[in-house]
Amino acid sequence: MNGMVYLVGAGPGDYRLITLKGKQCLEKADVVICDYLADKRLLAFAPENIEYIYVGKKAGNHAMRQEDISQLIADKAKEGKCVVRLKGGDPFVFGRGGEEAEVLKQNGINFEIVPGVTSAIAAPAYAGIPVTNRKVAVSFAVITGHEDPTKGKSDINWEKLSTAVDTLVFLMGVGNLPHITGQLIKYGRSADTPAALVRWGTKAEQEVLITTVGKAAEDVIKHNLKPPAVFIVGNVVNLRSTIQWFDNKPLFGKNILITRAREQASRLTEKLEELGANCIEAPAIKIAPPDDDFTSLDSAIAKIREYDWIIFTSTNGVERFFARLNEKNLDVRALSRAKIAAIGTSTAAKLKNYGIIADKVPTMFKAEGILDVLKEDITPGTKVLIPRAQKAREALPQGLRRMGATVDVAETYCTKMADTNKAQIKNLLQNGRIDMVTFTSSSTVENLLKLIDNEAALLNNVKKAAIGPITAQTCKQKGLDVDIEADIYTIDGLVDKIKNFRG
Ligand code: SAH
């Protein structure tokens, strides 16, 4: 029984530029075969245990011959699997997708083509250069820049091409610019024609070089611009001065290390990336079941209807509490008798996902402040449950007990060291490739230091951003100066401070 092959365009670089259909194909894949232009983050859309085969090729370094790749795709499909062949940009734009489809046809294998956003259009777009424009360009062409100039005969009709089309976009042309621009000029395109190179378009590392046809080859060497890049020729290049929108974002070009647990990092990453940053997720910690194996939480759940107040202190606490509650075949109705407090607006928002509107939402993170907000609700004899992290400060339960409450603390999770690629992170720090590190709790500070073998000096030239005063204090205790401290102790508050930071 033959499987199915999807030849999927992965988009130009930013993994979010894959199509909805492309994502759906990944979601049902058994095997993903991918080359070097495809972003690893796309793989997160695929089920966890898929077979992943890298057949990437870079100029001059062919990982696998094209015939072998085509055969591999066919063979995997013959095993009855759902194969996603992921290709940078669009599979049919210089992607050899056509050749792969031919082989599949010859082997009698079903396939579908899922077009993608091609770099030929998207890389210029992310540089603020539209390939057409009513006043400036009514036609565009996409051309290979890879033709071997020594082979004598060219398949490109330079004579007609050079002046017939308003906007020319060359792919794979960086190493061949003297030949390309020479031909264009020889066949009548003015050497003064505006031109641009866009390297790693749509990605945080995007580089744009504005030049002219006459100067391009020289400028590329001067600026040491490397592949992959598109080379754009035409008056549309001038529009960048008005339309530039991506590589002038406030955090563009900044490399930010995110130390949050992977389970929670995505929102911070997403927000910083929206502002143009390049985020490197190096979760120093991961969320794990508590060491007491839920003993304290289970006994609290067993008498859940007795509590007058339940105080949730973190989004993780909320998630883990309800996960366990559901495992016991109970749902939110078990809490109907209790009043609910959420510390911080994020915790309150998380509770809302479970259908609960918190009765009190203290937004200060110090126990004294929280106690102050709750002082009218807690009277002698009030029964309080605090589902929270295993390692947390005792000030809150102690304060409540002083107010006469009976307090149970239930451990819902603990944070453990994550299996992050330590060598890679240390390497980035040693080479000055990280501009900023974010700390979203005291344990992220402690754990990052552990991750880098306590070599705090590696962080000397890195800006440190802390989510609030307690985290900042931990930084200071560990000898790290804090450059940024959020005023509002939430992810949004932190992002806002980072955005406005100049230094
Ligand atoms: N099928 C792909 C093109 C493959 S050929 C597509 O539709 O985009 C590979 C060439 O594409 C590279 O040499 C480079 O010229 C271009 N390219 C691919 N991704 C790019 C990116 N993010 N930025 C700039 N150029 C890119």
Side-chain angles (χ1 to χ4, degrees), residues 12-13 37 88-90 93-95 118-120 123 170-173 198-202 228-230:
L37 287 172
D90 181 276
V93 178
F94 300 122
T118 178
S119 64
F170 291 88
L171 303 191
M172 305 171 282
V198 183
R199 176 176 194 243
W200 279 131
T202 77
V230 297

Side-chain angles (χ1 to χ4, degrees), residues 95-350:
R96 307 188 74 165
E99 290 160 58
E100 291 172 7
E102 279 174 327
V103 173
L104 293 172
K105 191 78 195 177
Q106 284 153 12
N107 281 268
I109 291 162
N110 289 328
F111 63 85
E112 281 191 25
I113 311 299
V114 183
V117 175
T118 178
S119 64
I121 296 173
Y126 269 61
I129 302 169
V131 289
T132 72
N133 175 278
R134 235 155 36 101
K135 296 204 182 90
V136 183
V138 295
S139 58
F140 71 96
V142 181
I143 307 133
T144 175
H146 195 52
E147 265 207 334
D148 182 358
T150 60
K151 78 176 179 193
K153 190 183 148 293
S154 171
D155 292 324
I156 300 172
N157 187 338
W158 290 103
E159 189 170 356
K160 291 191 174 154
L161 177 79
S162 297
T163 51
V165 181
D166 295 324
T167 305
L168 303 175
V169 183
F170 291 88
L171 303 191
M172 305 171 282
V174 177
N176 214 3
L177 281 182
H179 175 67
I180 295 168
T181 54
Q183 291 296 88
L184 291 175
I185 294 168
K186 178 173 168 193
Y187 289 108
R189 197 81 180 219
S190 160
D192 296 333
T193 311
L197 284 119
V198 183
R199 176 176 194 243
W200 279 131
T202 77
K203 293 179 77 90
E205 9 344 11
Q206 174 171 305
E207 285 173 57
V208 178
L209 176 63
I210 301 296
T211 176
T212 61
V213 170
K215 293 214 182 78
E218 188 187 316
D219 277 352
V220 157
I221 292 169
K222 197 156 83 192
H223 292 93
N224 194 24
L225 191 124
K226 298 269 184 259
V230 297
F231 177 52
I232 309 147
V233 170
N235 289 332
V236 288
V237 168
N238 290 334
L239 293 166
R240 169 171 163 88
S241 58
T242 319
I243 303 179
Q244 181 183 12
W245 62 275
F246 175 66
D247 44 11
N248 56 0
K249 288 188 174 204
L251 298 180
F252 185 81
K254 294 268 182 282
N255 298 303
I256 304 183
L257 192 63
I258 310 285
T259 58
R260 263 195 141 191
R262 180 138 10 238
E263 293 80 355
Q264 316 165 291
S266 55
R267 213 167 68 84
L268 179 57
T269 297
E270 208 171 282
K271 291 199 175 259
L272 291 172
E273 286 189 341
E274 254 166 46
L275 296 167
N278 178 35
C279 292
I280 300 112
E281 285 187 6
I285 54 173
K286 65 177 178 199
I287 310 290
D291 290 338
D292 77 355
D293 206 19
F294 297 113
T295 315
S296 58
L297 182 55
D298 287 351
S299 71
I301 289 175
K303 52 178 181 170
I304 192 74
R305 291 188 168 82
E306 292 174 20
Y307 293 107
D308 303 306
W309 275 90
I310 302 177
I311 305 176
F312 290 95
T313 62
S314 69
T315 53
N316 279 321
V318 173
E319 265 173 17
R320 298 289 146 155
F321 176 85
F322 283 104
R324 192 69 184 171
L325 191 71
N326 291 163
E327 275 170 34
K328 303 276 162 200
N329 236 344
L330 292 169
D331 63 22
V332 66
R333 289 168 297 178
L335 280 61
S336 58
R337 201 189 142 259
K339 294 247 184 186
I340 307 280
I343 301 190
T345 47
S346 308
T347 310
K350 182 60 80 181

